[in-house]
Amino acid sequence: PPSTLRKEELHSPPPPPRGRCLLSSASSSISIAVMPITIVHCWSAPRSRSTALLYSFEARGCDTIALDEPLYRRWLQEKRGTNGIGRPYEEELLGGEAPDDEDAANAFRWEREKKCLNQRVFEAVQTLVDRGETEGGCVFLKQITKFSYLFDFATNFERESAGGDAGRWRRKCLELFADHDVVHRHVLLIRDPVAILSSWTGKSGTVHNNNTHPDEIGITKLMEIYSEVLGASMSGSDTHEPVVIDSDDLAWDPRSTLEGLCDSLGLGYTESMLKWEPGPHDCDGPWAKWWYSDVWESDGWDLDNGIGHSRTQKYRTVPPSLVSCIRMSTPAYDFLSTLTASYRKRAIATPPSGRLYEDPRNENVLVFVGTPSATSRRGKGRIVPREMAAISPFDSSVQGGDATWEGIRVYHGRIFHLKEHLDRLFRSARALGFENTHSREEVKDAIFRVLAANGMRDGAHMRLTLTRGQKCTSSMNPLFNCYG
């Protein structure tokens, strides 16, 4: 059988909720064969290779059913006409009827979208139960971040609405799930915002009218979803922490990335996930021909170079209208990327001890980064996690190695020769001609703050670095150090 719902299954009413019953003739007792089923909600912004990942899971075979954006129709129903949101196919999608020029064989795609997410999940789980996949099954839902307000992360169902039937189908799901081991997992599929947005006004621009409103793009929504899922996992519900993967890792090393993803989800990996048939797929939403032309040309992940079809690398200009969205989106991407397996495995060498962190306190060490005070403003210093500690590429230390530093040690709650270290630091700064440096009190305050935040009172070594400051350009002339 195909890995998505068969057309006859889509059009027929769903069977009543039940488990798979086994009758024992010796005891005349009836027992329920509990089937483990994993429902995967994969959240991403558009242009994140989410359709390719949808096809990967569809290609697992008859133990998996793939659903394509089951909240799309309701989102468009509520959002069209606001913030410039519209689609060339919106009337047909909302009406659930194929356009006049649509192939009759595709009519089921438009009709299918009338169903709420909860109904489609119910039908998918029931189909897996009826197929008798005793080793378990998977329902994979491709979800777009801008639809997330329609989803209740506390219950893992579509939110009820006036006049809708989400509530009725939620109750039917709960009746069905009671007979089986059903678990919901959430995946955040991230991608560099510049890569997403530089392609935003390309071929697909005619579909979304080149609309750059955050409600349309939805990258920042990933942080909200992460917070929702993490909160649900901490509240004692059955929800697990979200799994975060970078779509560039999928393109660069699809086999290892898919193996790691399946392992994190408690699913078995299969080599079939690397390949799929070119062209339209049964799981596609009716909007596919407007959006999926690139992935339709592919036949799977290329084990050497991303998605498997011949294409040249595209170098795109980022429209100025999207720069503000990049500014908003980058912090979310930077944080979420630190939760990926590729980030955790980024080390390319191991210290002589064989341990990446000889002192375990260093793995989550907090770092102080700050600029000095001036007559017109206060100093701006803050403590941040090590993976988020950064200075500008325009800083003098980066541009020309223009900095001075001290190595300071802490023993038994006391800083060893702090006065002497600071004396030497400021002598070096004067010798280099630094201007607008931190005051001695500011440096001492930063030292005490970061030591206290880390709880380090003994056996600690601190690298204290003072740079000439941030430039407004890459010129080596110190007169361009405008920011201190």
Side-chain angles (χ1 to χ4, degrees):
S3 58
T4 53
L5 288 170
R6 295 183 289 272
K7 293 178 184 178
E8 60 269 21
E9 293 170 340
L10 291 164
H11 292 295
S12 61
R18 58 180 177 82
R20 191 162 63 91
C21 297
L22 302 177
L23 180 64
S24 170
S25 57
S27 62
S28 299
S29 63
I30 295 178
S31 62
I32 301 296
V34 176
M35 177 185 292
I37 295 175
T38 303
I39 301 176
V40 180
H41 304 269
C42 182
W43 300 93
S44 71
R47 322 303 297 172
S48 297
R49 302 186 177 102
S50 55
T51 304
L53 187 57
L54 177 77
Y55 289 177
S56 272
F57 272 82
E58 181 193 37
R60 288 173 58 87
C62 58
D63 78 335
T64 299
I65 293 175
L67 305 180
D68 188 11
E69 302 179 29
L71 290 170
Y72 193 168
R73 178 176 178 269
R74 180 175 168 186
W75 172 81
L76 187 59
Q77 191 173 39
E78 295 186 6
K79 292 290 187 178
R80 68 168 177 162
T82 65
N83 300 323
I85 292 172
R87 294 292 185 270
Y89 45 80
E90 61 184 42
E91 293 300 331
E92 292 83 358
L93 180 57
L94 296 180
E97 297 181 1
D100 293 337
D101 60 351
E102 182 72 272
D103 188 326
N106 287 325
F108 79 97
R109 301 184 191 276
W110 301 88
E111 179 71 22
R112 179 173 62 188
E113 295 308 312
K114 292 181 179 180
K115 301 175 182 179
C116 68
L117 176 148
N118 298 345
Q119 180 179 356
R120 296 187 65 184
V121 168
F122 174 90
E123 292 179 354
V125 172
Q126 184 66 69
T127 300
L128 290 173
V129 170
D130 289 344
R131 289 179 183 174
E133 295 294 327
T134 56
E135 296 301 316
C138 172
V139 180
F140 184 91
L141 293 85
K142 173 189 168 191
Q143 306 265 36
I144 301 299
T145 54
K146 57 194 170 191
F147 309 155
S148 60
Y149 75 97
L150 299 170
F151 190 84
D152 184 353
F153 289 90
T155 63
N156 289 305
F157 289 106
E158 179 181 343
R159 295 184 184 277
E160 297 185 34
S161 63
D165 56 0
R168 179 169 66 90
W169 283 102
R170 174 178 176 271
R171 291 187 291 273
K172 290 175 73 68
C173 282
L174 292 175
E175 292 174 6
L176 174 61
F177 296 177
D179 290 335
H180 301 282
D181 182 13
V182 178
V183 62
H184 291 264
R185 298 300 306 270
H186 292 268
V187 175
L188 302 186
L189 178 63
I190 64 174
R191 193 183 183 190
D192 180 355
V194 173
I196 291 176
L197 293 167
S198 61
S199 66
W200 184 249
T201 55
K203 208 183 306 183
S204 63
T206 56
V207 183
H208 55 65
N209 300 319
N210 292 316
N211 185 0
T212 60
H213 193 280
D215 274 357
E216 179 70 275
I217 298 173
I219 300 176
T220 55
K221 290 283 186 183
L222 284 163
M223 278 300 296
E224 294 181 27
I225 295 170
Y226 173 78
S227 179
E228 290 270 15
V229 178
L230 187 64
S233 70
M234 297 170 64
S235 67
S237 70
D238 293 333
T239 303
H240 294 70
E241 289 189 21
V243 178
V244 183
I245 62 170
D246 194 315
S247 75
D248 286 341
D249 293 333
L250 272 172
W252 181 259
D253 188 1
R255 177 180 281 112
S256 294
T257 304
L258 289 169
E259 285 177 346
L261 174 60
C262 289
D263 184 63
S264 296
L265 297 174
L267 300 171
Y269 165 76
T270 68
E271 283 287 297
S272 65
M273 296 180 74
L274 296 173
K275 295 294 180 181
W276 54 77
E277 292 295 323
H281 286 233
D282 283 347
C283 66
D284 290 338
W287 49 81
K289 68 179 181 181
W290 283 271
W291 292 95
Y292 299 172
S293 58
D294 281 350
V295 74
W296 279 358
E297 294 175 13
S298 71
D299 61 1
W301 299 104
D302 188 328
L303 298 184
D304 297 318
N305 191 31
I307 296 179
H309 61 93
S310 176
R311 57 190 292 181
T312 57
Q313 177 67 40
K314 297 178 181 178
Y315 298 96
R316 297 184 175 98
T317 299
V318 179
S321 61
L322 292 176
V323 173
S324 61
C325 192
I326 291 174
R327 290 194 180 105
M328 287 189 295
S329 305
T330 299
Y333 172 77
D334 286 346
F335 168 70
L336 291 171
S337 66
T338 66
L339 305 178
T340 62
S342 60
Y343 180 86
R344 294 191 298 272
K345 299 175 181 177
R346 70 193 183 283
I348 59 173
T350 304
S353 67
R355 300 189 304 273
L356 190 58
Y357 301 107
E358 296 188 31
D359 186 330
R361 295 178 296 178
N362 287 333
E363 183 173 4
N364 297 303
V365 72
L366 301 171
V367 181
F368 181 94
V369 181
T371 56
S373 60
T375 55
S376 60
R377 57 170 172 78
R378 64 177 177 84
K380 291 189 178 293
R382 59 182 184 142
I383 294 173
V384 294
R386 62 176 295 156
E387 66 272 12
M388 301 176 73
I391 58 174
S392 168
F394 291 100
D395 191 272
S396 296
S397 63
V398 179
Q399 290 290 323
D402 194 2
T404 182
W405 59 271
E406 289 290 323
I408 301 174
R409 293 194 175 273
V410 179
Y411 302 108
H412 307 299
R414 297 179 65 85
I415 301 174
F416 186 71
H417 287 310
L418 177 59
K419 178 181 182 301
E420 288 78 2
H421 278 296
L422 294 184
D423 287 344
R424 186 167 61 182
L425 180 76
F426 284 103
R427 282 199 305 270
S428 299
R430 286 194 298 272
L432 290 168
F434 284 9
E435 297 181 0
N436 189 33
T437 60
H438 299 75
S439 69
R440 180 178 290 255
E441 289 305 312
E442 285 180 308
V443 175
K444 289 173 64 176
D445 178 67
I447 290 172
F448 293 136
R449 283 173 60 188
V450 77
L451 285 174
N454 284 289
M456 292 184 177
R457 291 170 173 80
D458 186 38
H461 174 265
M462 174 182 292
R463 176 60 60 90
L464 175 60
T465 304
L466 183 65
T467 83
R468 191 182 297 273
Q470 186 178 333
K471 298 172 178 290
C472 62
T473 182
S474 61
S475 171
M476 296 300 291
N477 190 331
L479 295 179
F480 289 96
N481 284 81
C482 301
Y483 299 106

